[in-house]
Amino acid sequence: MILQIMWVSWLMMLLSLCSVAASTARSAAKPGCVEKCGNVSVPYPFGIRKPSCAMNDYFYLNCTSNDELLFGRNMPISDISELEGTVTVGIDAAFRCYNKTGIETDSYPQSMTLGAGPFMFSHTRNIFTAIGCDTLAQVTNYEFTYRATCLSTCRENVEMSDENPCSGSGCCQTSIPKGLNSLNYSLSSPYNYTNISDFNRRGFAFLADNSSLKISDWPLSRTPKYGKDAYATDVVIEWVVENKTCEQAKADASAYACGANAGCTYPESGQGYRCSCNEGFEGNPYLQEGCQDKDECQVEGKKPCQEGTCENTIGNYKCRCPIGKYGDGKIRCKGVGIITIISGN
């Protein structure tokens, strides 16, 4: 009888663990909606294929017939994070080219807007960069309330290195302010490249994710390309649910975006609000049941208990001290425990 009870208890515990594992592996998309476009996961509040799969029209994305996920009309998406509140897109660099006599032979200015939705270019992740030895790059927003200029010069060929920061010799960088949702960048040349045309006749300008940008990929000899072969950089876009404070959002329960076991948080930009799972929970905080209990006892590579046995609880965990000891096993158990004496014949 005792064995039967133990077996039933073990089976129920196993089923419970399987249930938890299944819940943590749930799709981050809205139930009944497609989760991926090509190799890119599309978590809610974003959605594809059907407008009802997104929180609203701002978060409804275009998944083309070629399974390419686009932000707006022409910005391909490589990653979406519902936890960090970011979308990573590819944007072609602007360039300007000259011949040996200083005559402009080709140019490609760049212009982009994120529309009327709650999106902005990340001022903490992105950096504006100019490449060239006679390059004056300018970046503005559509309203011309912001403008920055970057001048890059050099008299001899410079080897682009990831170890040395851009100092103005062959490469120049400047930050952008928070809150921008449109950008224009263009180039000019103070001396039309006539003094350094033997090794550099072109300049580039682009916004890029500073964590993934490799300056070594931008040698002064690089030749511009067009279309699908154009040189694009990863650009990070930040998003919020809507431009309201947490208090304002919670006052309208029907429109409040955070699901169960989730709370309202503010982004570093200070505009609007996002959602995040409460401590001890994980998942998509924008889905009603998206935040599920996290089993701290099963976190790979971590030992949650200094002593004793780990026992998961809803939103937390316990560390039960060995028999004969007492205290909080997360820190330290006190006592001597059970001493087993083995006597010989």
Side-chain angles (χ1 to χ4, degrees):
M1 182 66 179
I2 294 177
L3 289 176
Q4 287 181 335
I5 294 174
M6 291 178 62
W7 184 86
V8 171
S9 299
W10 176 84
L11 181 60
M12 291 179 66
M13 182 178 67
L14 181 62
L15 290 173
S16 176
L17 289 174
C18 291
S19 176
V20 171
S23 65
T24 56
R26 287 180 180 179
S27 169
K30 189 176 180 179
C33 295
V34 178
E35 183 180 8
K36 283 192 173 185
C37 178
N39 294 323
V40 182
S41 296
V42 185
Y44 189 77
F46 294 90
I48 55 175
R49 306 300 186 192
K50 297 183 297 183
S52 59
C53 288
M55 180 177 290
N56 53 48
D57 290 344
Y58 294 135
F59 291 94
Y60 183 57
L61 301 175
N62 178 21
C63 182
T64 69
S65 57
N66 296 323
D67 280 342
E68 183 178 37
L69 188 62
L70 297 178
F71 188 97
R73 295 182 178 179
N74 56 2
M75 289 181 273
I77 297 173
S78 59
D79 181 72
I80 301 176
S81 173
E82 76 275 19
L83 302 181
E84 296 180 3
T86 58
V87 178
T88 303
V89 301
I91 299 177
D92 295 344
F95 60 81
R96 201 162 191 171
C97 305
Y98 298 81
N99 63 17
K100 282 189 175 182
T101 61
I103 298 176
E104 182 184 317
T105 59
D106 201 1
S107 67
Y108 180 72
Q110 183 58 276
S111 177
M112 71 220 73
T113 178
L114 304 181
F119 304 99
M120 66 206 80
F121 293 102
S122 174
H123 71 288
T124 58
R125 294 279 299 273
N126 298 313
I127 188 110
F128 182 67
T129 304
I131 302 290
C133 281
D134 189 17
T135 299
L136 183 66
Q138 181 176 267
V139 56
T140 66
N141 62 344
Y142 280 17
E143 298 78 17
F144 287 98
T145 56
Y146 161 72
R147 175 178 296 179
T149 301
C150 211
L151 177 63
S152 176
T153 62
C154 45
R155 294 186 177 182
E156 59 184 10
N157 195 13
V158 177
E159 182 178 350
M160 297 301 178
S161 171
D162 298 320
E163 299 178 358
N164 299 320
C166 291
S167 59
S169 179
C171 176
C172 173
Q173 290 183 323
T174 186
S175 60
I176 63 170
K178 62 184 179 181
L180 293 181
N181 69 348
S182 64
L183 287 176
N184 293 295
Y185 34 89
S186 57
L187 298 117
S188 60
S189 174
Y191 301 103
N192 293 352
Y193 280 77
T194 53
N195 296 332
I196 43 84
S197 61
D198 289 339
F199 60 89
N200 181 223
R201 300 182 199 171
R202 63 199 63 86
F204 290 92
F206 49 83
L207 194 69
D209 179 4
N210 200 26
S211 64
S212 63
L213 174 62
K214 291 185 176 181
I215 295 298
S216 58
D217 290 339
W218 294 87
L220 295 178
S221 59
R222 170 168 272 194
T223 301
K225 295 181 180 180
Y226 292 94
K228 290 291 185 181
D229 296 326
Y231 297 114
T233 56
D234 287 339
V235 176
V236 179
I237 297 170
E238 294 184 6
W239 56 271
V240 294
V241 180
E242 55 182 344
N243 290 316
K244 289 183 177 181
T245 65
C246 289
E247 290 73 19
Q248 290 171 335
K250 291 176 181 178
D252 185 0
S254 62
Y256 185 50
C258 304
N261 302 313
C264 183
T265 61
Y266 292 112
E268 190 173 341
S269 64
Q271 300 182 24
Y273 78 95
R274 295 188 189 129
C275 303
S276 63
C277 290
N278 296 336
E279 186 71 24
F281 294 84
E282 59 186 357
N284 187 336
Y286 299 95
L287 293 172
Q288 184 53 41
E289 302 297 333
C291 292
Q292 299 291 316
D293 175 56
K294 177 171 61 177
D295 189 349
E296 290 86 353
C297 299
Q298 300 298 323
V299 177
E300 187 176 352
K302 289 188 178 181
K303 185 180 179 182
C305 299
Q306 292 298 316
E307 290 188 68
T309 304
C310 184
E311 178 184 330
N312 185 59
T313 61
I314 301 300
N316 209 328
Y317 67 99
K318 296 178 180 179
C319 293
R320 295 192 177 278
C321 292
I323 297 176
K325 288 190 174 185
Y326 62 94
D328 186 355
K330 294 181 181 180
I331 305 172
R332 184 185 176 187
C333 294
K334 300 178 181 179
V336 295
I338 295 179
I339 301 175
T340 303
I341 302 176
I342 303 177
S343 58
N345 294 325

